[in-house]
């Protein structure tokens, strides 16, 4: 088991390959789509979403736009004016929500993974590009204190945002 952990830690420490960095630049642009919660809420209104992503930060200590606007019936309900920031090196990323809140993020293959906790809730965000579709899933899980063995966690919801690139 210790050998497996050592192998995993080594793999996670490897730098992002150049071709992966190039593919991340495809995220740049304006994306339009919808938000769906599973399980679905009864009589939930349709939520339209616009995601604006600036050029991926190529230099250390730089940020780019990562803005999401949520609307219902054409009326803006919420704007998350965040930034995606690079610290030292391509694996040192974070989503800056403002107000001192920075959520660590990392490219794992073609997926930007951003895990965080709020109180007793664990959230794991997966953002990936599949052809012309930008998908984001937020898995919400009831968290439990760690022990030395396996800790079963109960999944609560998945929030799914599906976008297509907006015409220029």
């Amino acid at each position: 088991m210790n050998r497996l952990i050592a192998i995993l830690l080594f793999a996670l420490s490897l730098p992002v390959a150049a071709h992966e960095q190039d593919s991340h630049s495809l995220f740049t642009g304006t994306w339009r789509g919808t938000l769906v919660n599973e399980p679905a809420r009864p009589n939930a209104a349709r939520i339209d979403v616009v995601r604006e992503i600036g050029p991926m930060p190529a230099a250390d200590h730089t940020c780019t736009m990562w803005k999401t606007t949520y609307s219902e019936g054409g009326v803006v309900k919420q704007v998350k004016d965040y930034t995606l920031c690079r610290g030292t090196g391509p694996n040192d990323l974070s989503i800056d929500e403002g107000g001192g809140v920075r959520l660590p993020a990392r490219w794992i293959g073609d997926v930007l993974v951003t895990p965080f906790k709020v109180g007793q809730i664990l959230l794991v965000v997966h953002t990936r590009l599949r052809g012309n579709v930008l998908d984001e899933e937020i898995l919400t899980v009831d968290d439990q204190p760690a022990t030395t063995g396996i800790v079963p966690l109960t999944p609560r919801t998945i929030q799914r945002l599906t976008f297509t690139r907006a015409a220029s």
Side-chain angles (χ1 to χ4, degrees), residues 135-157:
D135 282 322
E136 183 168 279
E137 287 190 347
I138 305 169
L139 171 65
T140 304
V141 179
D142 290 324
D143 195 19
Q144 299 293 324
T147 66
T148 57
I150 294 174
V151 178
L153 303 176
T154 303
R156 295 177 65 160
T157 64

mmCIF file with all atom_site columns, all heavy atoms in Angstrom, residues 135-157:
data_model
loop_
_atom_site.group_PDB
_atom_site.id
_atom_site.type_symbol
_atom_site.label_atom_id
_atom_site.label_alt_id
_atom_site.label_comp_id
_atom_site.label_asym_id
_atom_site.label_entity_id
_atom_site.label_seq_id
_atom_site.pdbx_PDB_ins_code
_atom_site.Cartn_x
_atom_site.Cartn_y
_atom_site.Cartn_z
_atom_site.occupancy
_atom_site.B_iso_or_equiv
_atom_site.pdbx_formal_charge
_atom_site.auth_seq_id
_atom_site.auth_comp_id
_atom_site.auth_asym_id
_atom_site.auth_atom_id
_atom_site.pdbx_PDB_model_num
ATOM 1   N N   . ASP A 1 135 ? -18.017 21.098 -20.076 1.00 0.00 ? 135 ASP A N   1
ATOM 2   C CA  . ASP A 1 135 ? -18.821 20.484 -19.016 1.00 0.00 ? 135 ASP A CA  1
ATOM 3   C C   . ASP A 1 135 ? -18.211 20.805 -17.665 1.00 0.00 ? 135 ASP A C   1
ATOM 4   O O   . ASP A 1 135 ? -16.993 20.768 -17.507 1.00 0.00 ? 135 ASP A O   1
ATOM 5   C CB  . ASP A 1 135 ? -18.831 18.952 -19.146 1.00 0.00 ? 135 ASP A CB  1
ATOM 6   C CG  . ASP A 1 135 ? -19.749 18.449 -20.217 1.00 0.00 ? 135 ASP A CG  1
ATOM 7   O OD1 . ASP A 1 135 ? -20.830 19.011 -20.391 1.00 0.00 ? 135 ASP A OD1 1
ATOM 8   O OD2 . ASP A 1 135 ? -19.371 17.468 -20.888 1.00 0.00 ? 135 ASP A OD2 1
ATOM 9   N N   . GLU A 1 136 ? -19.085 21.090 -16.709 1.00 0.00 ? 136 GLU A N   1
ATOM 10  C CA  . GLU A 1 136 ? -18.635 21.249 -15.331 1.00 0.00 ? 136 GLU A CA  1
ATOM 11  C C   . GLU A 1 136 ? -19.608 20.503 -14.450 1.00 0.00 ? 136 GLU A C   1
ATOM 12  O O   . GLU A 1 136 ? -20.820 20.673 -14.577 1.00 0.00 ? 136 GLU A O   1
ATOM 13  C CB  . GLU A 1 136 ? -18.580 22.723 -14.945 1.00 0.00 ? 136 GLU A CB  1
ATOM 14  C CG  . GLU A 1 136 ? -18.047 22.940 -13.538 1.00 0.00 ? 136 GLU A CG  1
ATOM 15  C CD  . GLU A 1 136 ? -17.737 24.386 -13.280 1.00 0.00 ? 136 GLU A CD  1
ATOM 16  O OE1 . GLU A 1 136 ? -16.656 24.850 -13.689 1.00 0.00 ? 136 GLU A OE1 1
ATOM 17  O OE2 . GLU A 1 136 ? -18.589 25.073 -12.690 1.00 0.00 ? 136 GLU A OE2 1
ATOM 18  N N   . GLU A 1 137 ? -19.066 19.667 -13.581 1.00 0.00 ? 137 GLU A N   1
ATOM 19  C CA  . GLU A 1 137 ? -19.878 18.955 -12.610 1.00 0.00 ? 137 GLU A CA  1
ATOM 20  C C   . GLU A 1 137 ? -19.359 19.265 -11.224 1.00 0.00 ? 137 GLU A C   1
ATOM 21  O O   . GLU A 1 137 ? -18.146 19.263 -10.993 1.00 0.00 ? 137 GLU A O   1
ATOM 22  C CB  . GLU A 1 137 ? -19.840 17.439 -12.831 1.00 0.00 ? 137 GLU A CB  1
ATOM 23  C CG  . GLU A 1 137 ? -20.623 17.000 -14.028 1.00 0.00 ? 137 GLU A CG  1
ATOM 24  C CD  . GLU A 1 137 ? -20.780 15.494 -14.114 1.00 0.00 ? 137 GLU A CD  1
ATOM 25  O OE1 . GLU A 1 137 ? -20.084 14.749 -13.382 1.00 0.00 ? 137 GLU A OE1 1
ATOM 26  O OE2 . GLU A 1 137 ? -21.601 15.067 -14.920 1.00 0.00 ? 137 GLU A OE2 1
ATOM 27  N N   . ILE A 1 138 ? -20.300 19.531 -10.327 1.00 0.00 ? 138 ILE A N   1
ATOM 28  C CA  . ILE A 1 138 ? -19.957 19.787 -8.934  1.00 0.00 ? 138 ILE A CA  1
ATOM 29  C C   . ILE A 1 138 ? -20.625 18.695 -8.095  1.00 0.00 ? 138 ILE A C   1
ATOM 30  O O   . ILE A 1 138 ? -21.845 18.666 -7.961  1.00 0.00 ? 138 ILE A O   1
ATOM 31  C CB  . ILE A 1 138 ? -20.420 21.183 -8.483  1.00 0.00 ? 138 ILE A CB  1
ATOM 32  C CG1 . ILE A 1 138 ? -19.847 22.257 -9.404  1.00 0.00 ? 138 ILE A CG1 1
ATOM 33  C CG2 . ILE A 1 138 ? -20.022 21.413 -7.021  1.00 0.00 ? 138 ILE A CG2 1
ATOM 34  C CD1 . ILE A 1 138 ? -20.450 23.635 -9.193  1.00 0.00 ? 138 ILE A CD1 1
ATOM 35  N N   . LEU A 1 139 ? -19.807 17.800 -7.577  1.00 0.00 ? 139 LEU A N   1
ATOM 36  C CA  . LEU A 1 139 ? -20.285 16.722 -6.715  1.00 0.00 ? 139 LEU A CA  1
ATOM 37  C C   . LEU A 1 139 ? -20.299 17.238 -5.291  1.00 0.00 ? 139 LEU A C   1
ATOM 38  O O   . LEU A 1 139 ? -19.290 17.763 -4.801  1.00 0.00 ? 139 LEU A O   1
ATOM 39  C CB  . LEU A 1 139 ? -19.366 15.509 -6.827  1.00 0.00 ? 139 LEU A CB  1
ATOM 40  C CG  . LEU A 1 139 ? -19.603 14.378 -5.826  1.00 0.00 ? 139 LEU A CG  1
ATOM 41  C CD1 . LEU A 1 139 ? -20.974 13.746 -6.041  1.00 0.00 ? 139 LEU A CD1 1
ATOM 42  C CD2 . LEU A 1 139 ? -18.490 13.342 -5.927  1.00 0.00 ? 139 LEU A CD2 1
ATOM 43  N N   . THR A 1 140 ? -21.435 17.105 -4.620  1.00 0.00 ? 140 THR A N   1
ATOM 44  C CA  . THR A 1 140 ? -21.592 17.531 -3.227  1.00 0.00 ? 140 THR A CA  1
ATOM 45  C C   . THR A 1 140 ? -21.740 16.285 -2.358  1.00 0.00 ? 140 THR A C   1
ATOM 46  O O   . THR A 1 140 ? -22.554 15.407 -2.651  1.00 0.00 ? 140 THR A O   1
ATOM 47  C CB  . THR A 1 140 ? -22.835 18.428 -3.074  1.00 0.00 ? 140 THR A CB  1
ATOM 48  O OG1 . THR A 1 140 ? -22.724 19.524 -3.977  1.00 0.00 ? 140 THR A OG1 1
ATOM 49  C CG2 . THR A 1 140 ? -22.967 18.951 -1.668  1.00 0.00 ? 140 THR A CG2 1
ATOM 50  N N   . VAL A 1 141 ? -20.931 16.224 -1.289  1.00 0.00 ? 141 VAL A N   1
ATOM 51  C CA  . VAL A 1 141 ? -20.877 15.043 -0.430  1.00 0.00 ? 141 VAL A CA  1
ATOM 52  C C   . VAL A 1 141 ? -20.929 15.483 1.030   1.00 0.00 ? 141 VAL A C   1
ATOM 53  O O   . VAL A 1 141 ? -20.297 16.477 1.407   1.00 0.00 ? 141 VAL A O   1
ATOM 54  C CB  . VAL A 1 141 ? -19.558 14.270 -0.685  1.00 0.00 ? 141 VAL A CB  1
ATOM 55  C CG1 . VAL A 1 141 ? -19.444 13.053 0.213   1.00 0.00 ? 141 VAL A CG1 1
ATOM 56  C CG2 . VAL A 1 141 ? -19.430 13.874 -2.146  1.00 0.00 ? 141 VAL A CG2 1
ATOM 57  N N   . ASP A 1 142 ? -21.668 14.738 1.863   1.00 0.00 ? 142 ASP A N   1
ATOM 58  C CA  . ASP A 1 142 ? -21.624 14.958 3.308   1.00 0.00 ? 142 ASP A CA  1
ATOM 59  C C   . ASP A 1 142 ? -20.271 14.483 3.809   1.00 0.00 ? 142 ASP A C   1
ATOM 60  O O   . ASP A 1 142 ? -19.909 13.320 3.632   1.00 0.00 ? 142 ASP A O   1
ATOM 61  C CB  . ASP A 1 142 ? -22.736 14.174 4.023   1.00 0.00 ? 142 ASP A CB  1
ATOM 62  C CG  . ASP A 1 142 ? -24.113 14.732 3.748   1.00 0.00 ? 142 ASP A CG  1
ATOM 63  O OD1 . ASP A 1 142 ? -24.245 15.963 3.632   1.00 0.00 ? 142 ASP A OD1 1
ATOM 64  O OD2 . ASP A 1 142 ? -25.066 13.930 3.643   1.00 0.00 ? 142 ASP A OD2 1
ATOM 65  N N   . ASP A 1 143 ? -19.504 15.376 4.443   1.00 0.00 ? 143 ASP A N   1
ATOM 66  C CA  . ASP A 1 143 ? -18.169 15.038 4.912   1.00 0.00 ? 143 ASP A CA  1
ATOM 67  C C   . ASP A 1 143 ? -18.247 14.387 6.289   1.00 0.00 ? 143 ASP A C   1
ATOM 68  O O   . ASP A 1 143 ? -19.217 14.568 7.021   1.00 0.00 ? 143 ASP A O   1
ATOM 69  C CB  . ASP A 1 143 ? -17.309 16.309 4.971   1.00 0.00 ? 143 ASP A CB  1
ATOM 70  C CG  . ASP A 1 143 ? -15.838 16.004 5.093   1.00 0.00 ? 143 ASP A CG  1
ATOM 71  O OD1 . ASP A 1 143 ? -15.420 14.865 4.783   1.00 0.00 ? 143 ASP A OD1 1
ATOM 72  O OD2 . ASP A 1 143 ? -15.084 16.907 5.496   1.00 0.00 ? 143 ASP A OD2 1
ATOM 73  N N   . GLN A 1 144 ? -17.219 13.628 6.625   1.00 0.00 ? 144 GLN A N   1
ATOM 74  C CA  . GLN A 1 144 ? -17.095 12.971 7.925   1.00 0.00 ? 144 GLN A CA  1
ATOM 75  C C   . GLN A 1 144 ? -15.664 13.141 8.414   1.00 0.00 ? 144 GLN A C   1
ATOM 76  O O   . GLN A 1 144 ? -14.745 13.287 7.602   1.00 0.00 ? 144 GLN A O   1
ATOM 77  C CB  . GLN A 1 144 ? -17.403 11.472 7.800   1.00 0.00 ? 144 GLN A CB  1
ATOM 78  C CG  . GLN A 1 144 ? -18.801 11.153 7.324   1.00 0.00 ? 144 GLN A CG  1
ATOM 79  C CD  . GLN A 1 144 ? -19.853 11.543 8.337   1.00 0.00 ? 144 GLN A CD  1
ATOM 80  O OE1 . GLN A 1 144 ? -19.647 11.429 9.541   1.00 0.00 ? 144 GLN A OE1 1
ATOM 81  N NE2 . GLN A 1 144 ? -20.983 12.016 7.860   1.00 0.00 ? 144 GLN A NE2 1
ATOM 82  N N   . PRO A 1 145 ? -15.440 13.102 9.721   1.00 0.00 ? 145 PRO A N   1
ATOM 83  C CA  . PRO A 1 145 ? -14.065 13.176 10.228  1.00 0.00 ? 145 PRO A CA  1
ATOM 84  C C   . PRO A 1 145 ? -13.224 12.007 9.731   1.00 0.00 ? 145 PRO A C   1
ATOM 85  O O   . PRO A 1 145 ? -13.731 10.899 9.540   1.00 0.00 ? 145 PRO A O   1
ATOM 86  C CB  . PRO A 1 145 ? -14.238 13.096 11.747  1.00 0.00 ? 145 PRO A CB  1
ATOM 87  C CG  . PRO A 1 145 ? -15.664 13.453 12.002  1.00 0.00 ? 145 PRO A CG  1
ATOM 88  C CD  . PRO A 1 145 ? -16.429 13.035 10.778  1.00 0.00 ? 145 PRO A CD  1
ATOM 89  N N   . ALA A 1 146 ? -11.948 12.264 9.506   1.00 0.00 ? 146 ALA A N   1
ATOM 90  C CA  . ALA A 1 146 ? -11.033 11.231 9.036   1.00 0.00 ? 146 ALA A CA  1
ATOM 91  C C   . ALA A 1 146 ? -10.717 10.244 10.151  1.00 0.00 ? 146 ALA A C   1
ATOM 92  O O   . ALA A 1 146 ? -10.748 10.593 11.327  1.00 0.00 ? 146 ALA A O   1
ATOM 93  C CB  . ALA A 1 146 ? -9.749  11.864 8.530   1.00 0.00 ? 146 ALA A CB  1
ATOM 94  N N   . THR A 1 147 ? -10.438 9.020  9.753   1.00 0.00 ? 147 THR A N   1
ATOM 95  C CA  . THR A 1 147 ? -9.986  7.983  10.680  1.00 0.00 ? 147 THR A CA  1
ATOM 96  C C   . THR A 1 147 ? -8.814  7.274  10.007  1.00 0.00 ? 147 THR A C   1
ATOM 97  O O   . THR A 1 147 ? -8.360  7.675  8.947   1.00 0.00 ? 147 THR A O   1
ATOM 98  C CB  . THR A 1 147 ? -11.112 6.963  10.966  1.00 0.00 ? 147 THR A CB  1
ATOM 99  O OG1 . THR A 1 147 ? -11.402 6.258  9.755   1.00 0.00 ? 147 THR A OG1 1
ATOM 100 C CG2 . THR A 1 147 ? -12.363 7.632  11.495  1.00 0.00 ? 147 THR A CG2 1
ATOM 101 N N   . THR A 1 148 ? -8.352  6.196  10.617  1.00 0.00 ? 148 THR A N   1
ATOM 102 C CA  . THR A 1 148 ? -7.245  5.456  10.016  1.00 0.00 ? 148 THR A CA  1
ATOM 103 C C   . THR A 1 148 ? -7.724  4.477  8.955   1.00 0.00 ? 148 THR A C   1
ATOM 104 O O   . THR A 1 148 ? -6.925  3.948  8.209   1.00 0.00 ? 148 THR A O   1
ATOM 105 C CB  . THR A 1 148 ? -6.459  4.690  11.096  1.00 0.00 ? 148 THR A CB  1
ATOM 106 O OG1 . THR A 1 148 ? -7.368  3.832  11.796  1.00 0.00 ? 148 THR A OG1 1
ATOM 107 C CG2 . THR A 1 148 ? -5.784  5.648  12.059  1.00 0.00 ? 148 THR A CG2 1
ATOM 108 N N   . GLY A 1 149 ? -9.003  4.225  8.886   1.00 0.00 ? 149 GLY A N   1
ATOM 109 C CA  . GLY A 1 149 ? -9.537  3.291  7.895   1.00 0.00 ? 149 GLY A CA  1
ATOM 110 C C   . GLY A 1 149 ? -10.371 4.024  6.844   1.00 0.00 ? 149 GLY A C   1
ATOM 111 O O   . GLY A 1 149 ? -10.296 5.240  6.699   1.00 0.00 ? 149 GLY A O   1
ATOM 112 N N   . ILE A 1 150 ? -11.155 3.273  6.164   1.00 0.00 ? 150 ILE A N   1
ATOM 113 C CA  . ILE A 1 150 ? -12.036 3.834  5.133   1.00 0.00 ? 150 ILE A CA  1
ATOM 114 C C   . ILE A 1 150 ? -13.159 4.611  5.811   1.00 0.00 ? 150 ILE A C   1
ATOM 115 O O   . ILE A 1 150 ? -13.749 4.161  6.789   1.00 0.00 ? 150 ILE A O   1
ATOM 116 C CB  . ILE A 1 150 ? -12.618 2.711  4.253   1.00 0.00 ? 150 ILE A CB  1
ATOM 117 C CG1 . ILE A 1 150 ? -11.497 2.063  3.461   1.00 0.00 ? 150 ILE A CG1 1
ATOM 118 C CG2 . ILE A 1 150 ? -13.704 3.243  3.343   1.00 0.00 ? 150 ILE A CG2 1
ATOM 119 C CD1 . ILE A 1 150 ? -11.907 0.851  2.667   1.00 0.00 ? 150 ILE A CD1 1
ATOM 120 N N   . VAL A 1 151 ? -13.449 5.786  5.282   1.00 0.00 ? 151 VAL A N   1
ATOM 121 C CA  . VAL A 1 151 ? -14.533 6.619  5.798   1.00 0.00 ? 151 VAL A CA  1
ATOM 122 C C   . VAL A 1 151 ? -15.597 6.729  4.710   1.00 0.00 ? 151 VAL A C   1
ATOM 123 O O   . VAL A 1 151 ? -15.384 7.396  3.701   1.00 0.00 ? 151 VAL A O   1
ATOM 124 C CB  . VAL A 1 151 ? -14.036 8.030  6.183   1.00 0.00 ? 151 VAL A CB  1
ATOM 125 C CG1 . VAL A 1 151 ? -15.190 8.880  6.676   1.00 0.00 ? 151 VAL A CG1 1
ATOM 126 C CG2 . VAL A 1 151 ? -12.931 7.943  7.218   1.00 0.00 ? 151 VAL A CG2 1
ATOM 127 N N   . PRO A 1 152 ? -16.721 6.053  4.872   1.00 0.00 ? 152 PRO A N   1
ATOM 128 C CA  . PRO A 1 152 ? -17.764 6.155  3.860   1.00 0.00 ? 152 PRO A CA  1
ATOM 129 C C   . PRO A 1 152 ? -18.390 7.554  3.891   1.00 0.00 ? 152 PRO A C   1
ATOM 130 O O   . PRO A 1 152 ? -18.645 8.099  4.961   1.00 0.00 ? 152 PRO A O   1
ATOM 131 C CB  . PRO A 1 152 ? -18.792 5.099  4.253   1.00 0.00 ? 152 PRO A CB  1
ATOM 132 C CG  . PRO A 1 152 ? -18.303 4.452  5.495   1.00 0.00 ? 152 PRO A CG  1
ATOM 133 C CD  . PRO A 1 152 ? -17.061 5.137  5.945   1.00 0.00 ? 152 PRO A CD  1
ATOM 134 N N   . LEU A 1 153 ? -18.603 8.126  2.719   1.00 0.00 ? 153 LEU A N   1
ATOM 135 C CA  . LEU A 1 153 ? -19.219 9.443  2.593   1.00 0.00 ? 153 LEU A CA  1
ATOM 136 C C   . LEU A 1 153 ? -20.486 9.311  1.762   1.00 0.00 ? 153 LEU A C   1
ATOM 137 O O   . LEU A 1 153 ? -20.527 8.552  0.800   1.00 0.00 ? 153 LEU A O   1
ATOM 138 C CB  . LEU A 1 153 ? -18.262 10.431 1.931   1.00 0.00 ? 153 LEU A CB  1
ATOM 139 C CG  . LEU A 1 153 ? -16.914 10.629 2.620   1.00 0.00 ? 153 LEU A CG  1
ATOM 140 C CD1 . LEU A 1 153 ? -16.032 11.563 1.795   1.00 0.00 ? 153 LEU A CD1 1
ATOM 141 C CD2 . LEU A 1 153 ? -17.104 11.178 4.025   1.00 0.00 ? 153 LEU A CD2 1
ATOM 142 N N   . THR A 1 154 ? -21.506 10.076 2.123   1.00 0.00 ? 154 THR A N   1
ATOM 143 C CA  . THR A 1 154 ? -22.778 10.003 1.430   1.00 0.00 ? 154 THR A CA  1
ATOM 144 C C   . THR A 1 154 ? -22.878 11.108 0.375   1.00 0.00 ? 154 THR A C   1
ATOM 145 O O   . THR A 1 154 ? -22.804 12.292 0.716   1.00 0.00 ? 154 THR A O   1
ATOM 146 C CB  . THR A 1 154 ? -23.942 10.151 2.434   1.00 0.00 ? 154 THR A CB  1
ATOM 147 O OG1 . THR A 1 154 ? -23.802 9.126  3.429   1.00 0.00 ? 154 THR A OG1 1
ATOM 148 C CG2 . THR A 1 154 ? -25.289 10.038 1.743   1.00 0.00 ? 154 THR A CG2 1
ATOM 149 N N   . PRO A 1 155 ? -23.025 10.727 -0.906  1.00 0.00 ? 155 PRO A N   1
ATOM 150 C CA  . PRO A 1 155 ? -23.200 11.747 -1.942  1.00 0.00 ? 155 PRO A CA  1
ATOM 151 C C   . PRO A 1 155 ? -24.579 12.390 -1.814  1.00 0.00 ? 155 PRO A C   1
ATOM 152 O O   . PRO A 1 155 ? -25.549 11.725 -1.450  1.00 0.00 ? 155 PRO A O   1
ATOM 153 C CB  . PRO A 1 155 ? -23.073 10.963 -3.244  1.00 0.00 ? 155 PRO A CB  1
ATOM 154 C CG  . PRO A 1 155 ? -23.377 9.547  -2.892  1.00 0.00 ? 155 PRO A CG  1
ATOM 155 C CD  . PRO A 1 155 ? -23.034 9.377  -1.441  1.00 0.00 ? 155 PRO A CD  1
ATOM 156 N N   . ARG A 1 156 ? -24.629 13.705 -2.097  1.00 0.00 ? 156 ARG A N   1
ATOM 157 C CA  . ARG A 1 156 ? -25.890 14.443 -2.002  1.00 0.00 ? 156 ARG A CA  1
ATOM 158 C C   . ARG A 1 156 ? -26.434 14.821 -3.377  1.00 0.00 ? 156 ARG A C   1
ATOM 159 O O   . ARG A 1 156 ? -27.563 14.476 -3.711  1.00 0.00 ? 156 ARG A O   1
ATOM 160 C CB  . ARG A 1 156 ? -25.695 15.711 -1.180  1.00 0.00 ? 156 ARG A CB  1
ATOM 161 C CG  . ARG A 1 156 ? -25.345 15.432 0.262   1.00 0.00 ? 156 ARG A CG  1
ATOM 162 C CD  . ARG A 1 156 ? -25.100 16.695 0.994   1.00 0.00 ? 156 ARG A CD  1
ATOM 163 N NE  . ARG A 1 156 ? -26.334 17.465 1.046   1.00 0.00 ? 156 ARG A NE  1
ATOM 164 C CZ  . ARG A 1 156 ? -26.585 18.420 1.903   1.00 0.00 ? 156 ARG A CZ  1
ATOM 165 N NH1 . ARG A 1 156 ? -25.688 18.729 2.790   1.00 0.00 ? 156 ARG A NH1 1
ATOM 166 N NH2 . ARG A 1 156 ? -27.714 19.069 1.890   1.00 0.00 ? 156 ARG A NH2 1
ATOM 167 N N   . THR A 1 157 ? -25.644 15.576 -4.127  1.00 0.00 ? 157 THR A N   1
ATOM 168 C CA  . THR A 1 157 ? -26.128 16.085 -5.416  1.00 0.00 ? 157 THR A CA  1
ATOM 169 C C   . THR A 1 157 ? -24.985 16.193 -6.414  1.00 0.00 ? 157 THR A C   1
ATOM 170 O O   . THR A 1 157 ? -23.815 16.177 -6.040  1.00 0.00 ? 157 THR A O   1
ATOM 171 C CB  . THR A 1 157 ? -26.740 17.501 -5.281  1.00 0.00 ? 157 THR A CB  1
ATOM 172 O OG1 . THR A 1 157 ? -25.707 18.411 -4.875  1.00 0.00 ? 157 THR A OG1 1
ATOM 173 C CG2 . THR A 1 157 ? -27.879 17.550 -4.285  1.00 0.00 ? 157 THR A CG2 1
#
